[in-house]
Structure formats: C-alpha cells, structure tokens
Amino acid sequence: MRLTLPQLYRQLTLPTCWLDENTRPAILPPGVGLMPKRKQTKSYPRAVPVRKQVKLSGVCPDLAGAGVCRTGMAPCKVELLDTPNKSSSDKKEYRVIRLENGLTALLIADVAYPLDKLDQEEKDVVEEEMEVEDEENSEDETGDEEDDDDDDEEDDEEDDDEDGPVKRNVLESTGLKMSAAGLCVHMGSFSDPEDMPGLAHFLEHMVFMGSKKFPEENSFESFIAKHGGYDNASTDTETTVFYFESPRRHFHEGLDRFAQFFISPLMKQEAMQREREAVDSEFQMALPSDENRILQIFGGLAKSAHPMAKFMWGNLASLSPQGMSDTDVHSRLHKFRTRHYTAQAMCLTVQSQHSLDTIQDWVVETFAEVPNNGQAREEFSGMKQPFDTPQFTQLYRVIPVQNEYKIDLTWSLPSTLHLYKVKPLHYLAWILGHEGKGSLVSFLRRKVWGLSLTAGNAGDGFEYNSTYSMFPITITLTKEGYDNIDKVVQAVFSYLDMMKDQGPNERIYKEIQKIEDLDFAFSEEKQPSENVENLCENMQFYPPERYLDGDDLMFSYDPEVISELTMALTREKVNIFLRSKEIAADQLDQTEPWFGTPFSCSQIPSSWTDPNHSKEYTDQFHLPQPNVFIAENTSLCPPDPSFISKHPISLLSDTQGELFYKPDMTFLQPRAYIHYLLRSPMQLQSLTNSCLLDLMVMCLMQNIIEDVYPADLAQLHYAIYACESGLVVKVSGLSDKLANLMEVMVQRLVSFKQDTSKEMFQAVLEQQRKNYHNHTIKAKKLVRDVRLELLQDVYHAPHDKHNTVRQLSLEQVTQFAEQFLGQIYIQGLVQGNMTADQAREVDNMLRTKLKCSPLPADCVTDIRCNGLPDGSWTVRADSLDKGDANTLVTNYYQKGPGTIKEHTVMETIVQWMEEPVFDTLRTQEQLGYAVSMTLRNTYGVLGLSVTVNTQATKFTAEHVEQRIENFFKEFIIEHLTEEEIGEAITSLTKLKLRADVTLEEEVCRNWQEIMSKEYVFNRNEREVAVLAEIGLEDVKSLLLPLLSTRKLSVQVVGSDNPDPAQETIAMDTKETVLKFHVGDQLVGQPNTWKEQLVTHPILFITE
C-alpha cells in the first residue's frame, strides 16, 4: 500500500457509518498514532453524520488588485490575490484576500443552493422559534407563583400533561449546511523553547480559555454546542490549526467569538493547571501507542540542535519546569503567543452559504484587529540534513506494546515541499507500495514472510517539513518473515535495485496523474469543517491559485528529480526499526526519557544489505502493469422520470433476499455505492464459528489483494468485513468500473477454498490471534466488550476469541465458508449513478455466482438485548496491559425497549448535556482528556452512557463513577428548564434538517435501515415531527427515571504504577483471562450474573 504525500497512513478502518451498536465489523489492524488533537465528541443526529480557471464574481467595484472595504470600524485595505483553480464539478465560488494586518483569507461561498431560498428557510425557522418562545413566556408569566410553590408541583404537572407540550410547526428538510472557519498559524512544536517542551501544544489549549470580549472560560464551546456545532484544534511541527463549524444563522457571531482568540485571548494563570492536566492526560493516552513511542526515539536521532529532537507532546513535568513559578510560566506563555501568533503568519479559510461580499465583510470586521508584531516567523528551512548522524544509520530493536512483528526501513531525504508540482515521493510510494503482480508485497506474501506493506511519506509535519522529508517502508511480518528478516531486507533492496535500473516511468506517472485528475474532478464534497481545516493549512504551502489542488494533483513529470530521489534510497543511508515480542528485554540497554521506552542500537548486519544477496530475487519483480480499473466513462445516467420516491425502493424481494435502489438526483456525479450483507445465523451459533468467519475474511483479503489493488489505486473503494449479522461486501467510487470490481470480489468468494494455501492460512491465523490480543489490551476497547458481553444475548468478545482461534484449522475454515455461502439471505443497496437495470444485473451476478439457497424460515439472525435488573451494578476488571495507566469508566443507564419518540427524546437529552458533561468532567474537574456522552441503541433497547478516560495514577474508578453521578444531580437541578430544553430541541431539529453534503451520508442512513431490518428510510423526517411535539415534560418523564432505575457501571482499571518496559514473549501461548474485582456492590462473576438477566424479544424501532 502506498502512502501519498497529502494523506495520513491508510489503514483498514471501521466503516464511516456505524451509528449504533446493532452492527460491528471484525477486529481490524490498529490505526497509526498521530500528533495530539484537542478532541471533543461530535454530535450528530441518526444521519451520519477537468480543471478550469474561474473568474471572480461579486467583487467590489473599487477592488482592482487592492481596495477598501468599509464595515462598522475604520476602513481596512484589502488586497485581492489570485483565485484558486477549481474542478469543473465544484459549484462553490472562491476569493482570496489579504487584510491590511497581513492575514490571508480564502473565502468560499457555497451557492449551489439559491441563497434567497436559504434566507427564507432561516426566516421560517426564526419565526417558528419566536412563536414557541412567546408561548413559553406566556406560560411562564401565568405559572410563576405555582412554580415557586412546592405543594402545587403535582397539580402543575397534571396541568402540563393535560395541555400538552408546546406545539411546533413541522419543518421540512432544507438546503442549509453548516458554515465553518479554519485558521492555521505557521508555527508549531518546532518553536518550543528548549526548557519548556510542549509549549506550542499547551498554547493551543490555552487560547480557547476565554477572551477579553467574551471572558467566560467555556463560552465559545458552550455557544458552539448550544447551536449543534463543533470545534477542534491540532498542533503539528510547523503549523497549528484551529477550526469550528456552526449553523449558517449563528455563523457571524461564531466567527467573531473565534477571532477573539487571536486578538485578545485571556489565558488566565488560574486556568493553566487545568489545561496542563489536559495536555498531560492526552500524553498519558498516547503512551501505549507503539507508533508514538518509536517516533519519539526516532526524533531523538536528529542532531541535538534540530527541533526534531524535542518532546512535542508536553506533559506535567515539561510544562512545570523546575525553578520556574506559575507566574513565570504564565509570562512565558503570553510572550510565546505574542511572538508567534501574529497576523502575517496566519491563514484563514471561511466557508458559508453567503455571498462572497458578505463573507468578506465579516472577515474584515472580525479579523482586521488581529495584531501584527512586525517580526518574520521563525524559520527552520536552513537546518538541512538533520539525520546526517552516525546514530541514524543503525538497527534499533524495540519490544512493542502490541503483539506484532514489524520492520520499518526509513530514509531521511531533503525537503520536497517546493516540488509539489512533481510530487516525486508520491510517485515512489505508488510503485513501492503497489500490491499487484510483480510487486514487493506480493512476493513477500507468496513467501509467507509479510502480510502487508505501507510505503511513502504520510504528509504530516513529522515526516514532511521544511527541513527534510521522511520516506519509510513498513512491513507487517509473519513469524516466518521475522525468522528470515535478513531475506526480507534483501528483497526490499532487490526491488529498489530494479526501480533504479528501470528508471522513472512516464506511463506510470501519467496513469497516476490521470487518476488524481479524475478524483479531483469528481471528488465528493468534504464536510465544511474538514474542508476549512485542510485548506487553511494548504494556504501556508501553496500559492493562491493552487490552494485547492496543490495538495492532490501531479502537474509535471520530471524524471531527473524522480531519479535523484530514487537513487537516494541507498543501503548506506537506511535506518531500521525492528519490533517483536521475541526480542530479549535484557538486551535493550537504552531508554527513551519521555515515554520510557527501552531499546537497543546496533550496526545493521552486513548480510542484510549485501548487494550480492539481493540479486537472488531480481527476477521476481517488475513495475506495475497498466491499470484496467481507471474510469473512462464519466457521464451521468439519464434521469428516470418514473422514479419519484425520495427514498430507496425495493427492486426485488423473495426468500433469497432483497434489493433496494435509488438513483442520485441531488449530487449529479458519476459515483455510486453497492452494499451487500450476506446474512447468516452461523457466526452467532458459537464462539468457534465467530472466529471462523473472522479467519475467512482475513484469508479472503489476502486472496483478493492482487486483483483489487489496481481498483483501489483508481479511487474505487472496497471493504469486506464480518459483522454480527454476517458478511458485508461494499464497493464505491466512480461508477464506470464499479460492477467489475464487485464481480472480482464475488468470484474470489466462490473460489475461496482453491485460493487459500495452508502456509498463508497459518500466517493469517497467527496474525488474527495477535489482532484479538492487540484489541483487548486497549482499555477503551475492553470496557465496551465487557458491557456488550453482558447486554447482548450473543456477543463473542475478542478476549474469548483469542483463546479459541489457535485451535482452528484450514479445513475447518473452508468447510465453514462452504456452509456459510450455501445458505444466506442477501440484502443489497445500489445507490448513485446507476440505472435500475444495472442494479438488477449486479444482484443477478451475485446470486448466479454464489448459487446459494435461502435460509430456513425459522432461522434466527438477530441479536436480543438483556434487560438490567433495577438498581446500580458495577463490574470492574483490571486492564490487561500492566504498563498502561489508562482507566476507562462507562456509566450506562438503561431505558428499555424504545420507540421513535423515545429515541428522539434521548437524542435531545444528549444534545442538551454533552457539552456540559465534557466541560464539567474534563475541563473543570480534569478527570481525563476524553469524556463523552452517547445514546445507546442496543438492538432496540435504548440507554444513555457517559464514558471517561482517566489514569489510575490520578483518580480511582470509584471516584470517576461518583463524579459522573454528581454531575447529573447538580446539572439537572440547575439546568432542566424549558428554555434549555427548547434550545436543545431547536439545535437537534436543525441538525436533522440540514442538507447532506455528500451522497455517502444518505447512503449510510439508508444502509443502516436495511441492515437493522427496520426500513424507516424517512426516520429523520419522523423524528423532526416528534421534535415539534415534545417539550420539557417529555424530557423529565424519561430522564429522571432513567438515571435512577437501572445502571451498569463498567470499569477497566489501569496500572497505578505503570512500567513502560514490555516483557519478552518467546512463544505466544498465554491465554487471556480477565480479572474481575469482588466486593460490596461489585459483580465479581459477570457470566453468572448474566444468566439471571431477562432477555428482551427481538426488537425494531419502527414506531
């Protein structure tokens, strides 16, 4: 797999539309740790949430390269810069301006939907809110006396029930989207002072803690959450990015509040300790990540004067230097901000459904006062060759936290930021990461030495900055590959030798160029917040005309540049990290000071890099062949006048399955989605069967990769994964070759037995066992598994699978696959740029190739949820990673079987509470960095949960549990009012009514309805109708009993004395056994306790 310059590591990840607990995929390889982000829980309703030069439209008449815009303040000169190139399918308008203070702004007017219609829709919403407010005020005026009289409380409640809640008009879906703004400061962790590492990250936290104009510490987050928005920030090596989104109607005020953080942030001294704790909690959460641990060692290999050697996360120790008082730190913090947060170093992106002139006026009005200190930003581009040191070109061994065999080969190359038109590293990554015939990873798989390979620069500041470009190749090894590590390294260099001999290939470059052009021309629109986050950072590195495409497109083929960088990937300049549980701990004689990771350093064995040894594999490799999956026909299907439904229709329904279909009549792009669920009861029948399905999927992924990887390169996306209902197969992307891709995948399903070799199966078996283990040692995964193992009548937890999977054989897997595919119920959805006939053809192809029979009529493929007994119950288990201090506490409150109305009322409760629970438990009490509130729909049984990630070195699980309880008690007494519930209802209504930004959002909603067998495709509209009817009493009558009747607190307790050193495991034979605490109020034997629970029938939330 190649890694492209502008992208992060591409790993197998969960689908984007898992919105509840009804369906989940099998255990997948873990993602890669990233630089810290100040995360918050994002609230969404049930919905998941050829280039051409364009002319400037709507320009002020006096703007001719420069001009003056007048707002309520003094005139501000505005310089007009070049307009970015956009794709032919992009309906947005763009303008780039530079304010008098030096701040550069990209203005984006989303005018695809008529602005006058949006104005009218907002006017209708405002009038509706005013009517409701008038009615509520009228009720308040007549009821003040009664409300103050406790004796009359019961009578008042009866009156409320009789009169009913305040009625709202049922609004229809609108064209409204979120507005968003992102600001990038061209300064990051490279600028940290030597005596206070992590200061840039700390500053990113502190600027959000109130401003002179809006002094309340949490006022911005409260404002954003109140209106259903979202905000976040992240610190990289040379950039710091802040962004937010809010509804269109409240965007102007949000922009003003946002701007004040860069004009006059308070950053009070009394707030510092809380945010230090937040930064430290972030660091504590990062400690168990192998990627973070290795990157910190890697950074330490740089020259001592280079900023790569710094500790960029920050923690309590680094932000409270010895000999420095809080007053001193506070002073340094403000000086640091004044030095670096200056207008000329800032790039702003603003996107809204307003005209360009309106957006420009708002930007000038709100950002013109951002100060300019007159100083040039701190530059690092002169620090060349930071890793030109003897310690870099060595072999480093590390015992990982996760049970895995991995090798990283890395080269430090000159900075290539200026070579964005050529993107030579993208070209190299494309070839080295190729997984088709003749590729490096294909050879490693045939030898059963490797399972996966990633190559190329990830595009973040750590790997791609102004001083150097990192080029890594990472291979996930098998046990056989680890035992033959010398041969694996020799094969890598043999492939590199072939590339150097062949030289740059213009055909391949043009092919990559065409694929990227197609993707840019027909890419799905990004969410506004994601778009501004990316673009404001792009603005720091590209000229204005390239803001939109500079990160993605290949502009010019330069074989000399490509050849120069290819030749730099030499044996003499490589750095190698090897990780395995088999490495002897007593041989790790060095310790990285910040993460405490033991490691060793030695010379790379000469046999690994001997050119003569590499010649043995020369005839195994060749450059990628032409890609047959590149789209050629990008035309749109003719509209079907007979299709008048707003939702998918059933094209086919019989005992074998069902097919739903909906053409795209909104986004009008040549894209489509084909989703199938092969529903079966087999994986539910036993723990062994569940493991067999996982193994079947893992083997299938290995079998198909050579065939489907070219499609992946051509921007066609595929996924195969196990879920509790069966096997999911998905493809999406440009519609031209989409059916071909589906056919290839189905054919591999049919030929599974012939395709799967014994050697590959054994490697997959070992890796799957490791995957189960690596999943379970993460406290945040285990706390969920323990909860669901108690709540569901069937839940095969990964820690149980870990103990079972090793006993299984290839014969068992192939027999299981044959039986599984022999009897299934096929559920399909085809949506997008395909005709009904084409959808039927896909479905017929699948049925014909599988040759399956229908499931028996009495077959059960659904899961049921257990009802909790009345009372408060606590299940507490120790974390399986003794080196991890992270403790997870989930308080789960069960409502019971739900209706659409109850689901909507609970969504309102989450909308109302999620920001305050975050502010109270995270910001004020500093219980942990990650705090979230979630509505739980466990197969038709509704519940509410609050989860806190704390550390055992700071707080006990009991303390966290009680603080969650205390939050509810205090918050409800003070805030359970008609006004606040009304605001939550209004915000939730807007979220549900807002327009989809992408076709994928709509597809995910529809697919969820099909997989759950509920088929309520108009669920959003029905929930909006409910929102128009409910009020304070509905929330009261549901919430108060919910919090006092049935509670389950699941706690996974971390180590209060964590040891970052990992133990050596010569043989992976250890069984996974959870240790549950016993005592008063504790469920010491969860499995026995579960047997006493009453199981609900199969439930569907359709009414």
Side-chain angles (χ1 to χ4, degrees):
M1 181 181 294
R2 90 287 187 210
L3 296 176
T4 60
L5 284 176
Q7 295 172 334
L8 294 174
Y9 279 107
R10 301 182 57 216
Q11 296 281 328
L12 284 171
T13 56
L14 299 181
T16 58
C17 51
W18 296 107
L19 297 178
D20 56 27
E21 301 179 330
N22 289 4
T23 45
R24 285 175 296 276
I27 307 305
L28 297 174
V32 172
L34 306 177
M35 282 294 291
K37 285 198 175 189
R38 188 177 57 85
K39 294 186 181 296
Q40 295 183 358
T41 302
K42 190 165 185 177
S43 171
Y44 276 122
R46 190 178 176 94
V48 181
V50 182
R51 305 181 303 279
K52 66 176 182 179
Q53 189 79 19
V54 293
K55 296 181 179 179
L56 188 67
S57 62
V59 183
C60 300
D62 56 345
L63 281 177
V68 177
C69 276
R70 299 183 179 275
T71 62
M73 62 182 70
C76 169
K77 293 181 180 178
V78 173
E79 180 185 358
L80 186 64
L81 305 181
D82 290 340
T83 304
N85 293 335
K86 68 174 185 176
S87 75
S88 56
S89 62
D90 189 347
K91 302 299 189 294
K92 295 186 285 294
E93 296 176 354
Y94 297 87
R95 181 185 298 172
V96 182
I97 61 173
R98 181 169 292 133
L99 305 189
E100 195 170 5
N101 59 5
L103 182 146
T104 303
L106 170 61
L107 318 178
I108 306 174
D110 187 347
V111 294
Y113 194 86
L115 298 185
D116 56 341
K117 281 191 177 182
L118 292 175
D119 292 337
Q120 183 59 48
E121 288 172 3
E122 282 197 335
K123 181 182 177 183
D124 294 342
V125 172
V126 173
E127 290 175 352
E128 168 64 17
E129 291 175 6
M130 291 176 66
E131 289 176 12
V132 172
E133 188 175 336
D134 289 343
E135 292 182 45
E136 290 170 352
N137 290 340
S138 175
E139 290 181 4
D140 290 343
E141 288 169 10
T142 60
D144 281 347
E145 263 186 49
E146 290 85 348
D147 288 343
D148 291 337
D149 187 348
D150 291 338
D151 294 332
D152 292 334
E153 184 176 344
E154 185 175 336
D155 294 336
D156 288 343
E157 288 185 0
E158 290 175 359
D159 290 344
D160 285 339
D161 289 341
E162 185 176 331
D163 294 341
V166 175
K167 300 285 184 180
R168 295 172 176 80
N169 294 323
V170 179
L171 301 173
E172 296 183 354
S173 297
T174 75
L176 287 167
K177 301 177 187 176
M178 287 295 215
S179 298
L183 185 142
C184 178
V185 184
H186 207 158
M187 185 282 300
S189 296
F190 274 6
S191 295
D192 284 346
E194 292 292 336
D195 61 345
M196 204 180 299
L199 187 60
H201 183 202
F202 184 45
L203 174 59
E204 170 230 301
H205 279 246
M206 287 296 296
V207 294
F208 267 79
M209 309 305 286
S211 62
K212 287 183 180 178
K213 185 172 181 180
F214 303 100
E216 290 185 22
E217 201 171 274
N218 198 50
S219 64
F220 183 68
E221 277 78 7
S222 296
F223 171 82
I224 294 298
K226 174 181 175 181
H227 299 297
Y230 173 65
D231 67 278
N232 208 341
S234 62
T235 305
D236 211 323
T237 55
E238 294 180 281
T239 57
T240 305
V241 174
F242 304 84
Y243 62 96
F244 81 97
E245 67 176 14
S246 76
R248 177 181 188 258
R249 177 183 158 203
H250 302 285
F251 185 56
H252 188 190
E253 181 180 350
L255 202 61
D256 186 21
R257 289 174 175 271
F258 184 66
Q260 293 304 312
F261 294 136
F262 310 103
I263 296 172
S264 54
L266 293 179
M267 302 198 304
K268 293 180 180 179
Q269 186 171 328
E270 54 264 34
M272 288 200 313
Q273 186 57 27
R274 288 196 300 274
E275 287 310 303
R276 266 194 295 237
E277 291 281 358
V279 170
D280 187 70
S281 291
E282 213 171 335
F283 172 63
Q284 295 294 331
M285 289 173 63
L287 277 174
S289 163
D290 286 317
E291 282 69 29
N292 292 333
R293 289 152 60 96
I294 288 174
L295 286 177
Q296 191 63 44
I297 298 172
F298 188 95
L301 306 181
K303 297 173 182 176
S304 58
H306 193 278
M308 277 301 300
K310 295 179 179 179
F311 171 59
M312 302 181 195
W313 287 84
N315 61 13
L316 281 175
S318 75
L319 298 173
S320 305
Q322 289 187 349
M324 195 178 297
S325 68
D326 261 14
T327 302
D328 296 333
V329 173
H330 186 245
S331 175
R332 290 279 297 277
L333 182 69
H334 276 272
K335 289 178 181 177
F336 190 71
R337 184 195 73 83
T338 303
R339 169 63 185 90
H340 296 291
Y341 279 37
T342 178
Q344 74 275 22
M346 295 179 181
C347 287
L348 172 72
T349 301
V350 181
Q351 177 174 328
S352 187
Q353 290 175 302
H354 289 94
S355 70
L356 284 173
D357 289 342
T358 298
I359 298 173
Q360 177 169 318
D361 285 346
W362 289 357
V363 167
V364 172
E365 173 192 340
T366 53
F367 284 89
E369 293 185 11
V370 175
N372 182 323
N373 62 17
Q375 300 181 60
R377 78 171 189 89
E378 190 173 9
E379 266 278 357
F380 300 95
S381 57
M383 296 184 173
K384 307 293 186 184
Q385 299 181 319
F387 292 104
D388 186 16
T389 61
Q391 63 265 31
F392 181 77
T393 53
Q394 300 287 316
L395 169 63
Y396 291 84
R397 289 183 169 90
V398 177
I399 301 177
V401 175
Q402 300 202 46
N403 191 357
E404 61 186 1
Y405 301 106
K406 269 190 179 178
I407 184 171
D408 305 283
L409 297 91
T410 305
W411 291 264
S412 174
L413 305 174
S415 175
T416 57
L417 283 172
H418 62 294
L419 298 174
Y420 72 90
K421 291 187 176 181
V422 182
K423 292 186 174 60
L425 298 187
H426 184 31
Y427 169 86
L428 295 179
W430 189 281
I431 295 177
L432 275 162
H434 202 277
E435 300 187 37
K437 294 177 174 60
S439 66
L440 174 57
V441 73
S442 178
F443 169 76
L444 295 175
R445 286 176 177 139
R446 286 202 308 276
K447 301 291 286 187
V448 198
W449 290 347
L451 291 173
S452 66
L453 178 151
T454 59
N457 191 294
D460 57 26
F462 196 97
E463 298 193 4
Y464 186 60
N465 56 57
S466 64
T467 73
Y468 79 99
S469 296
M470 186 191 297
F471 193 89
I473 299 174
T474 299
I475 303 170
T476 299
L477 303 163
T478 63
K479 175 67 168 66
E480 186 76 11
Y482 179 74
D483 291 340
N484 290 276
I485 191 63
D486 56 334
K487 296 181 176 62
V488 172
V489 175
Q490 290 162 13
V492 171
F493 282 108
S494 178
Y495 193 88
L496 286 170
D497 291 341
M498 180 274 297
M499 288 179 61
K500 293 171 184 177
D501 291 342
Q502 294 278 332
N505 186 294
E506 188 171 8
R507 174 194 59 84
I508 295 176
Y509 190 94
K510 296 292 185 184
E511 190 174 89
I512 303 170
Q513 191 176 48
K514 181 178 180 180
I515 290 171
E516 300 294 5
D517 283 349
L518 283 169
D519 190 48
F520 180 72
F522 301 109
S523 62
E524 286 205 284
E525 186 177 347
K526 292 185 175 72
Q527 294 292 338
S529 59
E530 180 188 358
N531 199 38
V532 299
E533 179 192 12
N534 293 337
L535 290 178
C536 70
E537 191 166 21
N538 284 356
M539 292 171 68
Q540 299 285 7
F541 301 104
Y542 304 109
E545 65 273 16
R546 298 268 81 97
Y547 283 169
L548 304 182
D549 60 14
D551 215 18
D552 301 317
L553 299 187
M554 315 275 280
F555 297 96
S556 57
Y557 174 62
D558 190 330
E560 291 185 10
V561 167
I562 294 171
S563 180
E564 181 181 350
L565 288 171
T566 307
M567 299 305 291
L569 304 179
T570 67
R571 294 169 169 81
E572 295 75 25
K573 294 294 184 179
V574 70
N575 165 274
I576 298 179
F577 270 80
L578 184 63
R579 40 185 144 159
S580 164
K581 287 287 191 183
E582 293 187 26
I583 294 171
D586 58 6
Q587 294 180 8
L588 306 183
D589 54 355
Q590 299 185 52
T591 302
E592 192 282 314
W594 292 105
F595 281 73
T597 310
F599 66 96
S600 68
C601 173
S602 61
Q603 288 189 342
I604 300 171
S606 58
S607 61
W608 292 17
T609 56
D610 188 337
N612 292 321
H613 290 154
S614 296
K615 292 178 181 177
E616 178 183 347
Y617 311 114
T618 302
D619 60 350
Q620 301 292 324
F621 304 123
H622 59 76
L623 293 176
Q625 297 170 342
N627 193 329
V628 298
F629 283 100
I630 299 176
E632 297 169 4
N633 180 6
T634 57
S635 61
L636 298 179
C637 295
D640 182 357
S642 66
F643 194 97
I644 57 175
S645 173
K646 291 173 58 180
H647 306 290
I649 62 169
S650 175
L651 291 184
L652 175 65
S653 180
D654 57 24
T655 57
Q656 188 65 72
E658 58 189 0
L659 173 64
F660 288 87
Y661 165 74
K662 184 175 184 293
D664 171 33
M665 297 178 288
T666 303
F667 299 96
L668 303 180
Q669 284 205 329
R671 291 183 168 274
Y673 291 79
I674 303 174
H675 291 182
Y676 272 94
L677 168 62
L678 309 185
R679 185 178 284 273
S680 170
M682 290 186 64
Q683 69 283 348
L684 299 177
Q685 292 169 353
S686 69
L687 180 65
T688 296
N689 276 5
S690 183
C691 292
L692 288 170
L693 180 58
D694 290 344
L695 288 171
M696 173 184 162
V697 171
M698 284 282 285
C699 291
L700 183 62
M701 292 296 289
Q702 294 295 322
N703 295 341
I704 69 172
I705 191 64
E706 277 195 3
D707 296 333
V708 301
Y709 188 72
D712 180 54
L713 291 179
Q715 305 296 345
L716 299 182
H717 309 293
Y718 68 92
I720 303 177
Y721 54 86
C723 69
E724 288 176 321
S725 302
L727 180 66
V728 175
V729 184
K730 295 180 178 180
V731 295
S732 62
L734 296 178
S735 53
D736 184 29
K737 305 290 179 70
L738 208 54
N740 304 40
L741 175 57
M742 176 61 83
E743 185 171 4
V744 168
M745 295 170 68
V746 173
Q747 181 57 49
R748 285 294 189 173
L749 261 177
V750 173
S751 61
F752 178 80
K753 184 175 182 179
Q754 304 93 287
D755 295 342
T756 309
S757 69
K758 190 170 184 178
E759 294 78 13
M760 179 54 71
F761 168 76
Q762 197 59 43
V764 164
L765 180 68
E766 291 176 4
Q767 185 61 44
Q768 186 62 56
R769 181 173 160 88
K770 290 181 173 65
N771 289 346
Y772 291 144
H773 169 80
N774 295 337
H775 170 100
T776 305
I777 62 174
K778 297 176 181 177
K780 66 180 180 180
K781 303 287 188 182
L782 186 58
V783 75
R784 177 177 172 275
D785 290 336
V786 172
R787 175 174 58 85
L788 292 178
E789 202 166 14
L790 292 172
L791 291 179
Q792 295 183 191
D793 68 331
V794 178
Y795 184 75
H796 300 304
H799 54 265
D800 294 324
K801 292 183 180 182
H802 177 258
N803 299 334
T804 300
V805 69
R806 171 154 288 182
Q807 306 161 15
L808 304 180
S809 66
L810 174 58
E811 290 72 24
Q812 287 175 282
V813 174
T814 54
Q815 288 174 13
F816 173 85
E818 185 176 351
Q819 294 173 16
F820 180 93
L821 296 173
Q823 282 189 316
I824 50 177
Y825 184 76
I826 302 171
Q827 293 179 279
L829 170 67
V830 177
Q831 187 166 345
N833 188 48
M834 296 182 72
T835 65
D837 286 342
Q838 288 173 329
R840 291 188 185 95
E841 288 173 7
V842 170
D843 195 76
N844 183 61
M845 175 275 297
L846 189 143
R847 292 184 178 213
T848 302
K849 286 187 175 293
L850 292 181
K851 299 177 182 177
C852 50
S853 300
L855 289 174
D858 60 349
C859 185
V860 177
T861 63
D862 300 293
I863 291 174
R864 299 180 297 163
C865 182
N866 297 318
L868 295 178
D870 289 356
S872 179
W873 309 90
T874 300
V875 178
R876 184 177 300 146
D878 287 334
S879 173
L880 292 170
D881 183 0
K882 303 307 178 186
D884 187 359
N886 285 291
T887 290
L888 267 291
V889 176
T890 294
N891 279 10
Y892 168 76
Y893 306 86
Q894 190 177 76
K895 162 68 178 66
T899 64
I900 288 179
K901 178 178 179 179
E902 289 168 334
H903 188 281
T904 306
V905 172
M906 292 187 71
E907 282 188 289
T908 302
I909 292 169
V910 173
Q911 179 68 30
W912 167 52
M913 277 191 176
E914 68 171 347
E915 192 281 328
V917 76
F918 179 89
D919 180 56
T920 301
L921 301 182
R922 184 272 195 193
T923 306
Q924 301 302 324
E925 298 190 21
Q926 285 297 317
L927 294 183
Y929 180 70
V931 176
S932 63
M933 172 179 279
T934 309
L935 165 60
R936 301 289 182 186
N937 173 8
T938 310
Y939 294 98
V941 173
L942 300 181
L944 185 72
S945 73
V946 174
T947 299
V948 176
N949 188 156
T950 188
Q951 284 79 42
T953 51
K954 297 179 179 180
F955 299 103
T956 64
E958 300 97 310
H959 176 75
V960 173
E961 178 188 354
Q962 289 306 311
R963 296 315 298 167
I964 295 172
E965 288 290 304
N966 188 70
F967 163 80
F968 282 124
K969 291 174 184 176
E970 294 186 356
F971 184 79
I972 287 173
I973 290 172
E974 186 175 347
H975 295 276
L976 187 55
T977 65
E978 193 81 53
E979 179 183 2
E980 292 205 15
I981 297 303
E983 289 174 349
I985 290 171
T986 299
S987 295
L988 188 58
T989 301
K990 291 175 183 175
L991 284 170
K992 289 181 178 295
L993 290 175
R994 72 177 185 182
D996 289 327
V997 175
T998 66
L999 177 60
E1000 182 181 19
E1001 292 179 85
E1002 183 185 339
V1003 170
C1004 281
R1005 278 199 309 275
N1006 294 334
W1007 182 237
Q1008 180 63 26
E1009 294 296 334
I1010 294 168
M1011 287 192 71
S1012 68
K1013 299 200 299 187
E1014 292 175 337
Y1015 310 110
V1016 185
F1017 295 116
N1018 65 338
R1019 189 177 298 272
N1020 266 4
E1021 290 91 330
R1022 291 178 64 175
E1023 289 176 338
V1024 167
V1026 171
L1027 287 169
E1029 299 290 331
I1030 64 173
L1032 175 63
E1033 290 308 315
D1034 297 283
V1035 171
K1036 271 186 181 179
S1037 62
L1038 191 151
L1039 178 62
L1040 300 183
L1042 174 69
L1043 297 177
S1044 60
T1045 307
R1046 291 180 294 274
K1047 168 192 163 189
L1048 174 64
S1049 181
V1050 181
Q1051 304 167 4
V1052 175
V1053 181
S1055 173
D1056 59 3
N1057 186 26
D1059 182 358
Q1062 296 294 311
E1063 64 178 346
T1064 300
I1065 301 177
M1067 292 291 291
D1068 180 19
T1069 58
K1070 187 177 179 180
E1071 299 292 286
T1072 299
V1073 179
L1074 300 187
K1075 180 182 177 183
F1076 292 99
H1077 294 211
V1078 296
D1080 293 341
Q1081 308 300 318
L1082 293 177
V1083 178
Q1085 294 181 310
N1087 289 337
T1088 303
W1089 183 74
K1090 178 180 179 179
E1091 293 173 359
Q1092 306 168 16
L1093 303 182
V1094 176
T1095 303
H1096 292 287
I1098 296 171
L1099 299 170
F1100 301 102
I1101 301 181
T1102 59
E1103 300 296 335

